[in-house]
Amino acid sequence: RSTPIKSSAASDVYKRQLTSYGSPAEVTEVAMELCDEKAASRLINRALDAGVTFQVENIEDLNCCVDTATMKRVVSSVQGTLSDEALDTLTGCMDDEVFQTLLKKATSDQYAPATIMELVDCADEETFKTMVMKVTGCFDAEQLDILRDYLDQATIETLIEKSLQGKVRFAPQQIMEWLDFGISESLIEKMSLTAQGTFDANQAEELYDVLPDDTYLKIAKKHHLELHNEPIYELSLIHISEPTRPEPIS
């Protein structure tokens, strides 16, 4: 069986007792060239002991060549922030504990909604909520439908408000699902007034049953819905209290 050939530079660095190290990128390159996880892990651990601090751009390469225990050490002191591209690449490719540490240590405030959505099943609840609230731009209606299963109501309502301000429009069926979820009437009103599509009779009836009259009236006029002008009968006390008597027979 053939044995991976180490470059002479990598072999020389590994065999001698190092007293100084180069840049994090140089150390990472040597570790990769060793083509041996144990050897690479020893080298990286020695570099960490010597005070080398690795950057986020080294993480992907190191993750391919050192063991999990070493990666835990690397990410605990890593410097820099992960780009959307790097985060997309690393999601699902690292030990879960290492990945959670990396998210807490090296995330930025600049992630797009699509990048955040890739983390719904990977990031822990607290970290995910923090990243969601810092997202650039706003989530679309379909993304919010998914997030409903991962976030508390207060956070969801904040995100919906932001999306509405960003001109995101919701389909009538989506609005009815949010109504069932229990978000505030003010958000249902805003979503309904800008709905993408027309409410059917059953949806209009459900809106009428749960929303205040003035709110429903606004939505009804906007979407040409039935106004449900039910007559109101005013009865005096005498109508209520006086028993009904048959007319006398003449």
Side-chain angles (χ1 to χ4, degrees), residues 61-121:
D61 290 336
L62 289 175
N63 188 54
C64 297
C65 66
V66 303
D67 59 35
T68 299
T70 302
M71 281 305 299
K72 288 180 180 178
R73 290 194 65 193
V74 170
V75 300
S76 65
S77 60
V78 70
Q79 292 186 344
T81 55
L82 291 163
S83 64
D84 282 77
E85 182 179 358
L87 193 54
D88 286 340
T89 300
L90 292 171
T91 299
C93 298
M94 300 184 74
D95 172 82
D96 185 63
E97 184 179 347
V98 173
F99 188 64
Q100 299 304 326
T101 302
L102 183 63
L103 289 180
K104 290 180 173 67
K105 183 76 176 177
T107 51
S108 74
D109 299 340
Q110 304 298 318
Y111 297 120
T115 299
I116 297 297
M117 296 306 297
E118 294 295 325
L119 299 174
V120 290
D121 292 317

Side-chain angles (χ1 to χ4, degrees), residues 18-209:
L18 292 175
T19 57
S20 62
Y21 293 79
S23 68
E26 292 172 333
V27 179
T28 299
E29 183 178 359
V30 171
M32 292 178 65
E33 290 177 347
L34 288 173
C35 300
D36 183 297
E37 183 181 274
K38 290 183 178 180
S41 297
R42 283 195 292 268
L43 172 63
I44 297 303
N45 276 297
R46 290 176 183 174
L48 289 166
D49 291 339
V52 174
T53 301
F54 292 93
Q55 308 295 309
V56 291
E57 54 264 31
N58 308 134
I59 295 297
E60 183 179 351
D61 290 336
L62 289 175
N63 188 54
C64 297
C65 66
V66 303
D67 59 35
T68 299
T70 302
M71 281 305 299
K72 288 180 180 178
R73 290 194 65 193
V74 170
V75 300
S76 65
S77 60
V78 70
Q79 292 186 344
T81 55
L82 291 163
S83 64
D84 282 77
E85 182 179 358
L87 193 54
D88 286 340
T89 300
L90 292 171
T91 299
C93 298
M94 300 184 74
D95 172 82
D96 185 63
E97 184 179 347
V98 173
F99 188 64
Q100 299 304 326
T101 302
L102 183 63
L103 289 180
K104 290 180 173 67
K105 183 76 176 177
T107 51
S108 74
D109 299 340
Q110 304 298 318
Y111 297 120
T115 299
I116 297 297
M117 296 306 297
E118 294 295 325
L119 299 174
V120 290
D121 292 317
C122 302
D124 64 47
E125 184 177 346
E126 181 181 354
T127 302
F128 185 64
K129 179 178 177 179
T130 300
M131 296 179 71
V132 160
M133 296 301 289
K134 293 181 177 180
V135 69
T136 58
C138 56
F139 295 100
D140 63 32
E142 288 72 25
Q143 290 169 334
L144 288 168
D145 283 345
I146 296 171
L147 292 175
R148 180 169 51 216
D149 296 329
Y150 294 88
L151 299 169
D152 60 87
Q153 183 168 329
T155 302
I156 280 290
E157 290 191 352
T158 300
L159 296 177
I160 291 175
E161 184 69 55
K162 185 176 181 181
S163 294
L164 287 168
Q165 292 173 0
K167 308 301 182 184
V168 171
R169 299 173 67 191
F170 297 80
Q173 182 56 41
Q174 292 172 323
I175 295 171
M176 305 317 294
E177 291 171 359
W178 284 114
L179 184 62
D180 292 338
F181 183 74
I183 64 171
S184 69
E185 291 176 358
S186 64
L187 285 177
I188 292 295
E189 177 182 350
K190 292 176 183 178
M191 295 165 80
S192 299
L193 288 172
T194 59
Q196 188 171 29
T198 303
F199 294 96
D200 62 30
N202 291 331
Q203 293 167 340
E205 187 70 30
E206 190 171 349
L207 288 174
Y208 175 72
D209 288 341

